[in-house]
Each structure stands twice: as C-alpha cells, then as structure tokens.
Amino acid sequence: MSAFDSSAVLALLGLILVLILKIKVLMAEASKQQSPPGPKPLPVIGNLHILNLKRPYETMLELSKKYGPVYSIQMGPRKVVVLSGYETVKDALINYGNQFGERSRVPIFERLFDGKGIAFAHGETWKTMRRFSLTTLRNLGMGKRIIEDTIIEECQHLIQNFESHKGKPFEIKKVLNASVANVIVSVLLGQRFDYQDPQFLRLLNLIGENVKLIGNPGIVLFNMFPILGFLLRSHKTVLRNRDELFSFIRMTFLEHCYNLDKNDPRSLIDAFLLRQQEENDTSANYFNEENLLALVSNLFAAGTETTASTLRWGIILMMRYPEVQKMVCDEIIKVVGSAQPRIEHRTQMPYTDAVIHEIQRVANILPMGLPHETTTDVLFKNYYIPKGTEVITLLTSVLRDQTQWETPEAFNPTHFLSSEGRFVKKEAFMPFSVGRRMCAGEPLAKMELFLFFTSLMQKFTFQPPPGVSHLDLDLTPDIGFTIQPRPHKICALPRALAL
Ligand code: HEM
C-alpha cells in the first residue's frame, strides 16, 4: 500500500468515526426530546373529566400552574398543547411564527366554513384571503379618517338611542351590538342599517347565538367527538344559523353584481366581485362563492362581538369604579370640552387611554385566542411537538401573568401609566394576539373602542339601576366562545343631570 493510499484510508476512517459520533449525539438529543407533560388521560375521554366545559380556559390556567408553560391535555382523542405565560406565548408566536402559524382543524369550524374564509382557513386559501382582506380594509379606510367619520356617525346614533331612555334603566346589549356592527357592515356591504331594522336584528341574532353556542359544553363535546353530532341539538342550530346568514350574503352579493361600478368599488363585496372577474381564468381561483360567504361572515362576526363586548365591559367597569369614571370624564372635558372626541385627541388623554387598555386586559375577550396548529415537527423549549398538533395560546395567562402585571387580578389603570401619568405601552398587552395570525381588525377595533368609549363618557354618567349598589355588580362572565358580561341594566344619565 502506498503512503498516499494509507493516508486516504485513515482519512476515510476518521470521517466515518466523526459521522458515527455525530449520529450518536443526535440520537442522544432525540431521546432527550420529550413530549410536554400533562395530566394523565383516561381511555377514550382523555382529560374530559377534569375540564370545566363551561370555562375550559380556567382549567387550563390552573393546569399551567402545575405543569408549567408548555403542557399537553387530551381532549377526547385529540392531544392539544397549551402554551401559557407572556414569555412562552410570545416566543412561540414571534420567534416560531411559521411553525405555530396554522389554524387548527377544529370540527365545528371545519363543519361551518370548510377551511374557507379567513379566521378558520388554512394554507394558500388563508394567505390569499388575509392579503385581500387587509388590502381592501385599508383601501376602504381602516385606520384612516374615512372610517373615523363612519364610527363618529354611529356614535351619534347610539347617543340618541341612549338619550331616548331619559336616565331610566335599560339593557344595552342589542343596541350596542347593532351600533358596532354597523361599522364593519358599512365596510363589508357599503351601507348601514337602522337599529330597529328586522333583517339586521335577525342577522345580529344569528351571529350572537352562534358565538354563544360555540362556547357551550355541547359544542366543546362535539369538537372532541364529532361522531356525536347527530345527538347534539346545539350543533344543528349553529349550522342552521350559518345557512341563514350565508343566504343573506348571497342575496346581497347578487344585488352588488347588478349595481357594481368598476371604477368605484364601495365595499369589500364590490372589491371581491372585481377580483372574481379579474381572476376568472386563472387555475387557482380563490375568489369563489364559498370563500366570499365564509370571509364576509368571519369579518362580520369578528368585527361585531369582540368590540361590542369590550365596550359593554367598559361601561360595567365604569359603573363598578365610579372614581375611575369621574377621572375619565374630567380628562375628556379638559381636553375635548363639548367638541366631538377624535383620534387626534388620544395622545393628550393618557388616563383615558390607560383605562381603555385596562378594560381590554380585564375583559379578556378571547381567553384562549383562536386555536393554532403546528406546520412542522417543532422542538420548542426542549419539548417535541409533532406536525399537525393543535396549540392553544392561552391569552388569559398573558393578560394575567404575575411577572408582567402589578395586580393581575384587579382592575387597575395604573398598569398603563408612568409615575408622571404618561401612557406606557406594555409588551404583555396581547388581547389581539401577535404574529402572523394576529387579529386582522386591530386598527379598526382600537379606533372604535376609543371613539365609542370617549363619546359615551362625554355625554353620560353610567350608574346601576336605583337600589343596586355599584359594589354588588356581578362581574362573572357569561358562557360563550367570547367572554361577555352577563345581561345588565344600566342607567345612562345625561351628564348635566348626574348627581
Ligand atoms: C376588541 C376587539 C377585538 C379583539 C380583542 C380581537 C382579538 C382577536 C384574536 C385574539 C384573534 C386570534 C389571533 C390568533 O389566532 O392568534 C383574532 C383574529 C381575528 N380577528 Fe380580531 N379582535 C377584535 C376585533 C376585530 C375586528 C373589529 C375585526 C374586523 C375586521 C377582527 C377580525 C379578525 C379576523 C379576520 C381574525 C382572524 C385572523 C386570521 O386568522 O388570520 N377582529 N382577533
């Protein structure tokens, strides 16, 4: 053997040795990769027996105290990973944004929308619908003066309605829902409805009922065992409501087809119709009827229930904490006087801004966010999570994270104020979630919350009905997919009349 041959053999042996060592290291690492911990599941039902079916987020929060920020829970046959706490949720959604960026295939949402639309869509359909929605919402004025004027017009209608009760107790849910819905409806359909319009009230009813039912134990069970669907009445009602909403959208779409001005699309439906005509010949045509129906109903529901519930929480919290209400009113009077509050006033109103943020933190409208799914196998915080796993980003654990908030369980606007009374942004303020699936309507929602809240606080003092002490107000949330206040009667006293 020549000197050259022997050194080549030695080099080859060295290479093989290095490869063997590398494989050993990888295998050792792989054996260390473990599944997230979690409560022991029972056969068939998994961890169903320990889950609070009415408020599953409460059980999940409790379990995170025992099992840590990454754990798994068995929902019937499905294993779900729960992420909790600011640091972990942010790490997953920002630093592992792609890996955790898919929407999970939850049976009820698959039945309702079949992966179409935006909020419960997947892959390319989601990408195309999200891009289209964000561009169109921006073109139609989201976050700009055009939509500010629409919101202000709606505030005026709402104030008139409140005034008509002349300080007597009334239920605000319906009218507040209608008022907030009109803002998104003006963007989607290019029109507003009267608060008494029976068709409008019917649509709001359908959406409201579905949002409530989807959080009910019957549907939570259906999501674990879809095979039981035929036994569960709530599941049928949800589908029937969807069908009625879809036929309204279908009819509206046809009307828009007849009246479309190609040079002046006035609503999201018009813009969709134009894209449909442009893309008619392309093979991957996402601008089809199924996507239209799912997209419009997603935006309608997402744009109404969340914002309206937050405002209702706002009014109830102001009744519960009259001293905070007074400071908000004083600031509005000082900065705006009797003029119409506008977005430009926000920077001069740090206290009011802090109160609105604190209302959102405490309201905790979507405590579990919307369910995500892994797009690949992921090694996250040393835990192995396989591709296709459902992941709950427990937003309630972020909004109540003890490491981030001075008094996580108490309503305390100073969470958002510096010692000099300036507004302070908080990283753990995540009611809209973060990352690629974050709320598509955040700029609109923030504008609505500020304008509705300040316009109402400028005109009225809110109080519980006579005989009810503000200390007795029930702040326990109702059951539903979003966290809503229970029905409350309120008194809206015109400010001059307030005692
Ligand atoms: C206070 C009001 C609102 C809150 C707290 C809120 C919160 C959220 C949250 C937590 C998500 C889930 C994000 C995730 O999966 O990580 C979401 C998604 C979404 N929101 Fe909102 N939202 C609000 C208002 C609105 C409004 C006004 C619109 C109307 C345009 C809207 C449209 C959407 C849509 C389309 C999605 C699905 C995004 C996607 O899957 O890509 N939301 N929202």
Side-chain angles (χ1 to χ4, degrees), residues 103 118-119 126 130 137 184 299 302-303 306-307 310 360 365-366 369-370 372 395 431-433 437-441 444-445 448-449:
R103 184 69 73 223
I118 175 169
W126 167 73
R130 177 145 177 137
L137 289 172
I184 189 72
L299 290 170
T306 47
T307 315
T310 309
Q360 274 205 275
I365 291 296
L366 276 169
L370 294 181
H372 287 233
L395 296 183
F432 299 101
S433 185
R437 277 323 277 235
M438 74 174 286
C439 177
L444 176 61
E448 288 185 77
L449 291 178

Side-chain angles (χ1 to χ4, degrees), residues 61 69 84-89 361 394-409 415 428:
L61 202 57
S84 76
Y86 163 67
E87 199 278 318
T88 303
V89 171
R361 187 188 75 80
L394 199 60
L395 296 183
T396 186
S397 69
V398 181
L399 296 172
R400 285 151 73 177
D401 187 329
Q402 291 189 348
T403 65
Q404 302 295 315
W405 308 99
E406 221 172 278
T407 56
E409 303 303 325
H415 281 140

Side-chain angles (χ1 to χ4, degrees), residues 57-223:
Y57 54 92
E58 290 293 355
T59 312
M60 289 182 187
L61 202 57
E62 273 308 304
L63 290 174
S64 73
K65 289 178 193 151
K66 182 160 180 200
Y67 295 102
V70 184
Y71 70 89
S72 67
I73 178 166
Q74 193 79 27
M75 307 279 245
R78 273 185 313 143
K79 189 177 216 171
V80 173
V81 168
V82 181
L83 305 180
S84 76
Y86 163 67
E87 199 278 318
T88 303
V89 171
K90 183 185 160 202
D91 194 20
L93 293 179
I94 302 286
N95 301 330
Y96 292 75
N98 284 337
Q99 291 92 325
F100 288 106
E102 184 52 282
R103 184 69 73 223
S104 97
R105 287 160 209 276
V106 177
I108 191 64
F109 296 124
E110 288 298 303
R111 237 8 113 79
L112 280 171
F113 303 114
D114 194 21
K116 302 292 192 304
I118 175 169
F120 305 101
H122 318 284
E124 278 305 309
T125 300
W126 167 73
K127 253 191 213 154
T128 313
M129 288 298 114
R130 177 145 177 137
R131 212 179 301 128
F132 167 77
S133 306
L134 290 178
T135 312
T136 310
L137 289 172
R138 222 175 294 127
N139 290 345
L140 291 169
M142 181 166 86
K144 299 192 210 150
R145 188 135 184 143
I146 313 176
I147 207 78
E148 186 179 2
D149 289 342
T150 309
I151 301 170
I152 286 173
E153 187 194 330
E154 222 37 71
C155 291
Q156 299 311 327
H157 288 287
L158 188 65
I159 287 169
Q160 274 175 21
N161 181 289
F162 278 22
E163 279 169 349
S164 71
H165 295 278
K166 301 193 183 327
K168 299 251 164 59
F170 69 103
E171 221 319 311
I172 49 171
K173 183 174 175 177
K174 268 196 185 146
V175 71
L176 202 55
N177 266 7
S179 196
V180 168
N182 260 335
V183 176
I184 189 72
V185 162
S186 75
V187 175
L188 297 176
L189 315 183
Q191 67 181 101
R192 76 173 290 278
F193 292 89
D194 189 89
Y195 297 157
Q196 310 303 330
D197 183 305
Q199 188 177 38
F200 188 41
L201 290 176
R202 177 74 191 145
L203 295 176
L204 294 174
N205 231 12
L206 296 173
I207 292 174
E209 190 175 27
N210 271 11
V211 170
K212 200 167 164 55
L213 284 177
I214 286 172
N216 263 20
I219 300 288
V220 178
L221 271 179
F222 170 75
N223 286 335

Side-chain angles (χ1 to χ4, degrees), residues 4 41-42 56 70 73 81 87 101 127 178 194 230 244 317 339 357 389 404 447 493-494:
F4 173 76
L42 294 177
V70 184
I73 178 166
V81 168
E87 199 278 318
K127 253 191 213 154
D194 189 89
F230 69 99
E244 198 177 327
L317 286 164
H357 279 74
T389 305
Q404 302 295 315
M447 209 184 227
L493 305 181

